Amino acid sequence: MLIAEDERMLADSIAEGLRAEALAVDVVYDGDAALERLGVNDYDVLVLDRDLPVVHGDDVCRAVAESDALVRVLMLTAAVTVPARVDGLRLGADDYLTKPFAFEELVARIQALGRRARPAAPPTLERGGIRLDPSRREVYRDGRYVRLARKEFGLLAELMLADGAIVSAERLLEKVWDEHADPFTNTVRVTLMKLRRKLGDPPVIETVPGAGYRIP
């Protein structure tokens, strides 16, 4: 997901909290940078401050609405009047949250928008003897609880959501990590190795040489 917010302390604080929820987060501080990132990255959710410098948040929202991007927009603003909220939704925002806000509500709204950015998935994902509950962040393998680190959980969730399709290492890096991840790193491979060990035998994650990984 992408956060576009010019109050740097607020933006960085939101990003830190969302990363603790196992979300991959990029941050920009003006509208021009937001448009640049949106042009090169495939985001699920954009948290968009309305009063951005350089390019106004309204113009960013309008550009997203006019594009074929699947990203969902959660608009943030200090304006609390009904006309202001209606205005933002008419620009193309999918949801609206006024400042100040409770972080728990922000997370819940982002998660709801994230589900809408993809094809509809059941509340609990099940495949290969694995049951994953995204809302509770719980994983069970053949009825046995498996304690996973945040990135391990995020990686497993992406593979489960793929519903048997192959997911490339590049795609996993983009969806589970963030812009600071080195594209040449072996982080995905190392995290997968740890995940496989925790899930136990028989192995459930298959490596497809030259293509990526899948849970068949």
Side-chain angles (χ1 to χ4, degrees):
M1 60 172 299
L2 177 65
I3 297 171
E5 164 63 62
D6 67 324
E7 294 181 41
R8 291 181 176 248
M9 288 184 64
L10 175 61
D12 293 343
S13 175
I14 292 172
E16 183 178 352
L18 293 176
R19 286 170 184 146
E21 296 290 329
L23 296 172
V25 184
D26 292 344
V27 182
V28 294
Y29 307 108
D30 65 68
D32 185 55
L35 289 174
E36 181 182 349
R37 297 292 178 83
L38 288 163
V40 297
N41 293 321
D42 177 23
Y43 294 107
D44 291 326
V45 178
L46 165 64
V47 177
L48 178 66
D49 178 35
R50 192 165 188 182
D51 296 317
L52 286 176
V54 188
V55 176
H56 196 273
D58 286 359
D59 295 322
V60 174
C61 187
R62 204 175 281 113
V64 170
E66 292 172 355
S67 73
D68 59 357
L70 298 178
V71 61
R72 301 293 183 173
V73 179
L74 172 59
M75 187 173 278
L76 298 179
T77 182
V80 296
T81 64
V82 170
R85 294 199 297 271
V86 170
D87 222 25
L89 293 170
R90 284 177 174 166
L91 285 168
D94 297 281
D95 200 358
Y96 206 98
L97 191 59
T98 57
K99 301 176 183 177
F101 51 82
F103 183 74
E104 293 80 4
E105 182 180 4
L106 175 66
V107 171
R109 288 175 181 267
I110 286 171
Q111 289 173 337
L113 289 175
R115 290 192 295 270
R116 290 167 54 192
R118 303 169 180 254
T124 300
L125 304 173
E126 297 190 31
R127 193 171 190 86
I130 298 172
R131 181 164 62 86
L132 183 146
D133 186 332
S135 61
R136 297 186 179 185
R137 291 187 57 206
E138 293 179 347
V139 173
Y140 292 85
R141 173 78 191 273
D142 297 326
R144 172 181 62 88
Y145 176 70
V146 182
R147 185 182 298 278
L148 298 180
R150 290 197 303 269
K151 295 304 183 187
E152 294 163 358
F153 182 91
L155 195 152
L156 179 60
E158 287 298 321
L159 291 173
M160 298 281 281
L161 284 166
D163 197 25
I166 298 170
V167 185
S168 69
E170 292 78 14
R171 176 75 173 176
L172 291 171
L173 193 65
E174 175 187 341
K175 286 296 184 181
V176 183
W177 282 264
D178 56 33
E179 63 184 336
H180 301 296
D182 182 352
F184 302 104
T185 184
N186 64 351
T187 295
V188 171
R189 184 175 60 80
V190 171
T191 305
L192 268 168
M193 180 179 66
K194 294 177 180 177
L195 175 59
R196 282 170 164 151
R197 186 165 60 242
K198 289 184 178 181
L199 291 174
D201 292 325
V204 68
I205 301 174
E206 177 182 301
T207 299
V208 182
Y213 308 91
R214 68 179 176 183
I215 299 177

